[in-house]
Amino acid sequence: MSQRRLRRRGANFTLGAEQAEADRQLLRSAFYESDDYLTISDKDDHRCFLIARTGSGKSAALQQLEEDFPGHVVRIIPEDLSLQYITNLRVMRFLDDLEVSLDPLFIALWKHVLLVELIRHRYNVNTPAAKANFLTTLRDRIRRDPGKRAALDYLEEFQDRFWVEADQRVKEITEKFEEKINKEAKGKVALPGSVDASLGATSGDTYSSEVRTELADRFQKIVNETQMARLNKMVKVLDEDILESRQNFTYVVIDDLDRDWVDEKLANGLIRCLFRAVLDLQRVTNLKVIVALRTNIFEHLDFGHRSGGQEEKFRALALRMRWTATELQELVSERIRAASVNLDVRLNSVYEILPRTNQTRGDALEYMLQRTLMRPRDIIAFLNEALAGSGRGECLTWEDIRNAEEAYSNKRLLALRDEWKTSYPEIDRIFDLFEGVTLPMSADAFTRKLDDAITLTGDPNFRGADWVHSLTVRMWTHSEGSWSDWYGPLVSLLYNIGFIGCRAGSRSDFRYAQDFPDFAERTRNLESITDVTIHPAFQLGLDTRIDNSRR
């Protein structure tokens, strides 16, 4: 390979940005159609909840969907919906304190947003004249159906405000709801103290149980009324008269629901209700609403009694993005083909820039993949790190890969912290406890590290005390119990996020979450653990040692 082969216009050759959606030009020419992407784009496949770890390619897949189906994809950006405004309203917190279910309101809000955006997109409604023309055409089409004619009254109720930007519509509906609650709060129930117009000075917890029950009942009736029958009838109109033909098939994409929220509990309620709204909209034949959500957010949604017993349906419609070694090989090869357009020699495979396989060191790509969580971002980051460190403009050597591994490992450890720190504050304090350990660890040695993690709850500066305590509560409340009873939840967390691997018996292989996602969910598996290791992606970042006699 020539000295110039891996140089492009004077710059070092790379595989592009680790976030594919941030490198639009390369993504457009090098997008890899995985089986998961084919499922997402399949109009007849009802799986619509795209659940994936950070760096798994979900945002890139949704961006490609817009490229492949121009004019048939509606993207709804949560940040444009004033959802932070809703969760930060004091009246919402007041009702939540009273344990009033806000689900009917939230479901109605989501249906309203989806309905309006679909109509605006389908008929290009962006002026009063376009709105009038749309209503005239639709009214003429459904004139023989009294139920559908009544549904159109729902559109007329909002008049011109129906067509304003989504955040304004959400605020208006929410403000009207707030007015009703405040009016009811000043009604006939004798409230202790005074309740001002915003309910801001009052918490639902300040009332006696009798008053709480009466208030909750009255406010729940108001909330339930927001699930208007005319809104549901409009969904029927959407199915039969707006998206009535296959040529009008429309995808709705909702991504970036994993931003930081003011109130996590209310935010989870909003997301859960989005799932229920999407479930209801599945009866619209020529519509597919795709909701992308990070794995950690999905697992923390409360699918309890408030979900209407639909948890099984939600999970049946979830597509969990996972990658095989073959798919990742083909993905990076596609990127190399696209990125090498301006090189002296065209490259077609990742193996053209890697050292040859030999009996001593093995397969270089396999070595690198073993140090990833089997996600596109990981392998791209590793290859880019090695290419940047090489600096010679030639294909990589084993020395380049080894030299790049420590920096790559440090960055992956930081990325793991950032991925989970919202749900588990200061989880990196747990990671740091394993710095310098000798691997693999026996079950006893690993347990001692878990004990060290648990003792962090006594540190007043440790912001993760609540979640660590909740995962180890049985240790404090049950004097009798097995190892899995006491440590199981914490072990499951470290396994499921990909930080550790486990094996049962020195002759067996270590198992990791990317290959065996359900391993830590079974008590018998936890009880059979004899050895634990840190995932190879993080070993150099933690400066671990390898005991070859127990390897």
Side-chain angles (χ1 to χ4, degrees):
M1 184 173 294
S2 72
Q3 289 286 326
R4 299 179 58 198
R5 187 167 180 178
L6 296 186
R7 291 195 179 278
R8 179 177 56 188
R9 295 176 182 173
N12 285 337
F13 176 74
T14 74
L15 275 67
E18 294 169 23
Q19 295 177 307
E21 66 275 16
D23 202 336
R24 299 181 71 93
Q25 184 174 358
L26 185 60
L27 177 65
R28 192 175 295 116
S29 58
F31 181 77
Y32 175 73
E33 285 192 349
S34 66
D35 288 342
D36 285 340
Y37 177 73
L38 296 176
T39 299
I40 295 167
S41 59
D42 189 339
K43 297 175 181 178
D44 297 314
D45 194 305
H46 294 290
R47 284 173 287 179
C48 55
F49 303 128
L50 183 57
I51 313 301
R53 294 281 300 270
T54 298
S56 295
K58 58 181 175 61
S59 295
L62 296 180
Q63 185 173 305
Q64 186 64 29
L65 192 71
E66 294 183 83
E67 297 283 344
D68 289 345
F69 299 93
H72 290 270
V73 179
V74 178
R75 181 178 283 271
I76 294 178
I77 302 173
E79 289 184 351
D80 294 343
L81 297 181
S82 297
L83 300 182
Q84 289 275 26
Y85 166 82
I86 297 172
T87 58
N88 202 31
L89 279 175
R90 289 180 293 183
V91 68
M92 296 298 181
R93 298 186 181 191
F94 173 79
L95 295 175
D96 192 53
D97 285 343
L98 289 175
E99 296 186 355
V100 173
S101 173
L102 296 169
D103 286 14
L105 171 66
F106 292 164
I107 293 171
L109 275 174
W110 280 118
K111 284 185 178 179
H112 179 85
V113 167
L114 291 166
L115 178 66
V116 177
E117 293 305 313
L118 284 164
I119 292 174
R120 283 165 56 110
H121 177 267
R122 170 73 175 83
Y123 294 99
N124 195 26
V125 178
N126 50 24
T127 65
K131 175 217 169 186
N133 183 59
F134 155 70
L135 288 175
T136 300
T137 301
L138 189 58
R139 185 174 285 109
D140 183 63
R141 183 179 298 175
I142 65 177
R143 64 183 184 277
R144 297 181 181 179
D145 190 322
K148 290 182 178 179
R149 289 205 306 271
L152 285 185
D153 293 339
Y154 177 76
L155 303 185
E156 292 287 11
E157 179 183 327
F158 290 87
Q159 299 179 5
D160 292 337
R161 298 186 306 278
F162 191 86
W163 311 106
V164 299
E165 293 302 318
D167 65 325
Q168 296 180 47
R169 280 183 266 114
V170 168
K171 283 184 178 180
E172 181 176 6
I173 293 173
T174 307
E175 287 168 358
K176 285 185 175 180
F177 169 76
E178 187 178 16
E179 289 174 7
K180 290 180 181 179
I181 293 296
N182 287 326
K183 182 178 179 180
E184 186 69 19
K186 293 182 177 180
K188 298 179 181 179
V189 174
L191 302 177
S194 63
V195 179
D196 63 22
S198 69
L199 292 173
T202 311
S203 167
D205 292 333
T206 64
Y207 302 121
S208 67
S209 58
E210 294 81 3
V211 174
R212 281 175 56 87
T213 300
E214 186 169 357
L215 282 174
D217 289 343
R218 292 177 64 189
F219 293 146
Q220 190 67 65
K221 289 178 182 178
I222 296 175
V223 176
N224 293 344
E225 289 172 359
T226 61
Q227 188 68 294
M228 294 171 285
R230 287 181 299 173
L231 179 56
N232 289 326
K233 287 179 181 178
M234 271 305 303
V235 174
K236 184 178 181 182
V237 174
L238 180 68
D239 180 34
E240 299 179 359
D241 303 287
I242 297 176
L243 300 179
E244 77 284 5
S245 68
R246 197 68 165 179
Q247 68 182 21
N248 295 325
F249 192 98
T250 303
Y251 299 92
V252 176
V253 169
I254 305 175
D255 196 5
D256 293 328
L257 278 164
D258 43 20
R259 303 296 187 189
D260 291 339
W261 297 80
V262 174
D263 188 304
E264 185 177 344
K265 183 179 179 184
L266 286 173
N268 282 345
L270 271 170
I271 297 174
R272 187 185 65 249
C273 290
L274 169 60
F275 278 36
R276 291 182 65 179
V278 170
L279 205 60
D280 290 345
L281 286 170
Q282 288 225 319
R283 51 195 166 112
V284 180
T285 305
N286 295 310
L287 172 68
K288 186 170 185 176
V289 183
I290 303 168
V291 180
L293 200 63
R294 281 206 328 238
T295 302
N296 57 313
I297 305 296
F298 180 73
E299 296 301 340
H300 278 81
L301 292 180
D302 178 13
F303 289 123
H305 65 282
R306 289 189 178 186
S307 69
Q310 294 179 316
E311 177 178 0
E312 186 176 348
K313 291 182 181 179
F314 295 150
R315 296 193 179 278
L317 293 173
L319 172 64
R320 294 179 178 269
M321 290 189 73
R322 294 195 178 97
W323 293 81
T324 65
T326 300
E327 287 178 326
L328 290 175
Q329 174 194 328
E330 293 174 353
L331 179 143
V332 293
S333 292
E334 284 285 353
R335 281 206 159 209
I336 284 172
R337 275 193 286 272
S340 66
V341 169
N342 297 319
L343 297 182
D344 294 340
V345 179
R346 190 70 179 268
L347 302 175
N348 294 301
S349 169
V350 64
Y351 282 106
E352 294 183 55
I353 67 170
L354 292 175
R356 292 182 179 180
T357 301
N358 59 58
Q359 291 184 345
T360 304
R361 293 182 169 179
D363 183 298
L365 182 61
E366 182 180 342
Y367 176 89
M368 298 180 82
L369 286 175
Q370 287 173 351
R371 283 146 183 80
T372 73
L373 300 185
M374 298 300 287
R375 301 178 298 189
R377 187 175 299 176
D378 295 342
I379 187 60
I380 290 170
F382 202 166
L383 284 165
N384 279 343
E385 195 75 48
L387 288 165
S390 172
R392 299 184 314 278
E394 300 176 350
C395 63
L396 297 173
T397 65
W398 275 104
E399 184 181 5
D400 295 329
I401 295 173
R402 301 280 192 185
N403 290 340
E405 187 175 346
E406 184 172 354
Y408 161 80
S409 183
N410 280 318
K411 292 175 182 178
R412 288 304 92 196
L413 199 58
L414 292 174
L416 189 69
R417 176 204 64 187
D418 292 342
E419 181 179 359
W420 296 96
K421 67 182 180 183
T422 301
S423 299
Y424 305 102
E426 288 200 285
I427 193 171
D428 52 310
R429 292 276 300 272
I430 309 296
F431 302 158
D432 291 344
L433 294 173
F434 293 88
E435 185 171 3
V437 298
T438 299
L439 301 175
M441 293 176 283
S442 67
D444 288 340
F446 179 59
T447 300
R448 288 193 290 273
K449 289 298 179 183
L450 296 179
D451 288 335
D452 291 341
I454 295 169
T455 59
L456 285 175
T457 57
D459 182 349
N461 296 318
F462 178 52
R463 294 185 294 109
D466 288 343
W467 66 262
V468 173
H469 184 270
S470 67
L471 291 178
T472 57
V473 67
R474 289 183 65 88
M475 176 174 290
W476 311 107
T477 58
H478 295 73
S479 58
E480 300 291 334
S482 64
W483 184 88
S484 62
D485 291 331
W486 291 347
Y487 298 100
L490 184 55
V491 175
S492 295
L493 170 65
L494 296 176
Y495 179 87
N496 290 334
I497 67 174
F499 182 67
I500 63 170
C502 306
R503 72 178 176 187
S506 59
R507 295 182 179 275
S508 62
D509 294 328
F510 279 101
R511 296 192 172 194
Y512 298 98
Q514 71 259 20
D515 300 316
F516 302 93
D518 299 325
F519 174 83
E521 305 306 316
R522 296 180 174 84
T523 300
R524 67 175 181 273
N525 290 341
L526 295 176
E527 293 288 356
S528 68
I529 293 174
T530 58
D531 299 283
V532 174
T533 192
I534 304 299
H535 192 287
F538 314 115
Q539 288 180 8
L540 285 188
L542 290 169
D543 194 26
T544 60
R545 306 289 189 268
I546 300 297
D547 181 356
N548 289 313
S549 67
R550 300 186 66 246
R551 191 170 182 174

